[in-house]
Amino acid sequence: MKNKILRVTKSASSSYKKKREKYTKKLFTFIESGIYKGKKLLLPSFETTRSTKSIVSTCVFNVLRGHLQDVIFIEAFGGSALMAALALSNGALRAYAIELDMKAYFIALENAKIFENTLFVINGNTFEVLQNLVQSLEKKLVLYFDPPFDIREGFKDIYERIFALLKELDCNKIFMVIIEHRSNKKTPEFLENFVRVKLKKFGSSSLSFYENVEKK
């Protein structure tokens, strides 16, 4: 009986250890293009943020490549700052990532160490931070929004809030706005000074690309 109990205890301990390793194991990805290709980036827990799919990020930089020279890239709802890092790898002058969640923020800070004072991570609410950040920058800007999908609790009107936020920004500084969203969410053709020039679908995720009509 004693040996039987011991075997059960060991089995339970082994099961717990495997589960613990599953949830504590570090997640990571690699930069897939540009001058930092092959560099490893840490990712936050999937329970914390939703990382951009590889096929989506590839599409973004296929469109942007060649237009990033002397441009500052801002990633709103930045998570691990993956898109900001890819922007730098593909020629952006500087990049910023705004992230509210503390765990994701600290992971983004670790990723920023790869880049020599060109990737800046801000811990804060995009809706409270972005307007002042845009105002403080002098170069041409690209804004990338990758918010939690609107099916998550507390984010039902997230896209409408982003559309409203764009009305408050200094649009003269912004060259392009890219919004990652659920494919069944219809985005408007026009947003303030911006016109939608591309709509790309990738299963449940889509990208809406907007260009500033006054900057064309």
Side-chain angles (χ1 to χ4, degrees):
M1 184 68 177
K2 183 178 179 181
N3 289 338
K4 185 177 180 180
I5 293 173
L6 183 61
R7 284 197 297 273
V8 171
T9 302
K10 284 183 177 179
S11 176
S13 176
S14 176
S15 176
Y16 170 78
K17 185 177 180 181
K18 287 180 180 179
K19 287 182 179 180
R20 185 175 181 276
E21 288 175 350
K22 178 182 176 181
Y23 290 107
T24 59
K25 186 178 180 180
K26 286 187 176 181
L27 303 173
F28 61 89
T29 188
F30 294 95
I31 294 177
E32 296 181 340
S33 61
I35 60 175
Y36 292 99
K37 183 177 180 179
K39 291 286 186 181
K40 184 189 289 188
L41 296 175
L42 295 172
L43 295 175
S45 164
F46 295 137
E47 295 176 359
T48 303
T49 64
R50 176 182 54 81
S51 295
T52 299
K53 297 176 183 177
S54 176
I55 191 172
V56 175
S57 61
T58 297
C59 174
V60 169
F61 292 102
N62 281 345
V63 172
L64 288 179
R65 194 173 294 112
H67 301 285
L68 287 173
Q69 186 176 5
D70 211 33
V71 166
I72 295 176
F73 186 95
I74 300 177
E75 182 181 8
F77 310 96
S80 61
L82 169 62
M83 296 300 284
L86 284 167
L88 289 170
S89 188
N90 283 279
L93 180 66
R94 293 201 306 278
Y96 292 80
I98 304 168
E99 176 54 47
L100 182 60
D101 181 82
M102 287 300 295
K103 290 181 180 178
Y105 166 69
F106 283 119
I107 287 173
L109 284 179
E110 284 297 311
N111 289 336
K113 293 177 181 178
I114 297 171
F115 307 93
E116 299 170 356
N117 297 318
T118 53
L119 175 51
F120 304 92
V121 185
I122 300 169
N123 179 224
N125 186 326
T126 289
F127 296 104
E128 297 171 359
V129 169
L130 185 58
Q131 185 175 9
N132 286 338
L133 177 59
V134 168
Q135 194 65 38
S136 70
L137 300 172
E138 297 301 326
K139 297 290 185 178
K140 187 165 64 173
L141 306 177
V142 170
L143 305 187
Y144 184 85
F145 292 90
D146 181 17
F149 279 168
D150 57 353
I151 56 174
R152 276 188 57 180
E153 185 177 353
F155 293 93
K156 184 178 179 180
D157 61 346
I158 188 68
Y159 302 119
E160 287 69 26
R161 293 181 68 194
I162 290 172
F163 302 155
L165 176 62
L166 286 170
K167 295 179 181 179
E168 301 173 5
L169 303 181
D170 183 353
C171 294
N172 292 323
K173 296 183 176 183
I174 303 168
F175 158 65
M176 181 177 283
V177 174
I178 306 168
I179 303 173
E180 184 176 343
H181 55 90
R182 283 206 302 152
S183 290
N184 62 1
K185 174 64 183 179
K186 186 176 180 180
T187 53
E189 185 177 356
F190 297 97
L191 280 173
E192 290 305 296
N193 293 4
F194 302 95
V195 60
R196 193 182 64 210
V197 293
K198 292 181 187 293
L199 176 61
K200 299 285 189 178
K201 294 185 178 181
F202 309 90
S204 61
S205 298
S206 287
L207 291 169
S208 288
F209 294 81
Y210 291 88
E211 284 188 7
N212 191 328
V213 293
E214 296 183 0
K215 294 289 183 182
K216 295 184 76 173

